[in-house]
Amino acid sequence: MNLHLRTLTLSDVEAVANLSSQLGYKASMAETKVWLQEILANKDHCTYGAVLDDKLIGWVHGFYTLHLESGAFVEIGGLVVDENCRRTGAGRKLVEQVRGWARQKGVGKVRVRCNTQRTDSHTFYKAIGFEEVKEQKVFSILC
């Protein structure tokens, strides 16, 4: 098994979209390309891919954020490992890469939000050291 991490590039769009669909996200490749371009151009965002035998099997997106009430932290905006490649250490390595990026930015905290229905993800995050601090509801409105 030859697993390594690297920064995502625009050539990863199809694999990123396909992996995202495993979590139920239905973004087109065109949408994914636009979003990835914007993220790659933003110094307050990072993206990494897990590659196994020359195939992208997972990705993570982290971003720096600053809140008036709680200060700065890096949030994991998305993390997915191919359902056939889970339990290979890829998810843990991707999270560690984001933690390292956060430290480089001088930030001492990483957060992640997780759908309440993804109980396997909850177990994963707790197993690698995350502490559950609250539950939330997410509201959205079109502009």
Side-chain angles (χ1 to χ4, degrees):
M1 179 169 77
N2 183 19
L3 178 69
H4 67 279
L5 303 184
R6 63 168 173 76
T7 302
L8 292 179
T9 67
L10 284 179
S11 65
D12 295 315
V13 167
E14 184 176 1
V16 167
N18 288 337
L19 287 165
S20 298
S21 72
Q22 288 186 13
L23 295 181
Y25 295 101
K26 303 298 182 201
S28 69
M29 284 206 314
E31 289 170 316
T32 302
K33 182 177 182 180
V34 168
W35 299 334
L36 184 57
Q37 281 176 313
E38 289 184 33
I39 288 168
L40 292 174
N42 189 320
K43 67 177 179 53
D44 286 333
H45 290 250
C46 67
T47 60
Y48 301 102
V51 179
L52 180 62
D53 300 327
D54 297 322
K55 180 183 177 192
L56 188 74
I57 62 152
W59 61 261
V60 67
H61 165 224
F63 60 93
Y64 170 88
T65 188
L66 177 62
H67 289 219
L68 187 59
E69 78 287 354
S70 59
F73 59 93
V74 167
E75 183 164 330
I76 294 174
L79 169 66
V80 60
V81 174
D82 185 287
E83 58 197 6
N84 298 313
C85 299
R86 294 183 184 151
R87 303 198 188 283
T88 62
R92 177 184 296 265
K93 288 181 180 184
L94 288 165
V95 169
E96 283 304 314
Q97 194 75 14
V98 171
R99 291 179 72 196
W101 181 80
R103 287 189 296 272
Q104 289 175 357
K105 293 191 77 62
V107 178
K109 184 186 334 179
V110 174
R111 289 185 179 170
V112 63
R113 298 168 200 253
C114 190
N115 189 308
T116 57
Q117 296 174 3
R118 293 194 177 120
T119 55
D120 287 348
S121 296
H122 305 166
T123 302
F124 165 75
Y125 288 119
K126 288 176 183 177
I128 64 170
F130 280 80
E131 178 184 330
E132 184 177 342
V133 294
K134 68 179 175 179
E135 287 191 32
Q136 297 181 294
K137 292 195 181 292
V138 176
F139 298 89
S140 182
I141 191 170
L142 297 177
C143 296

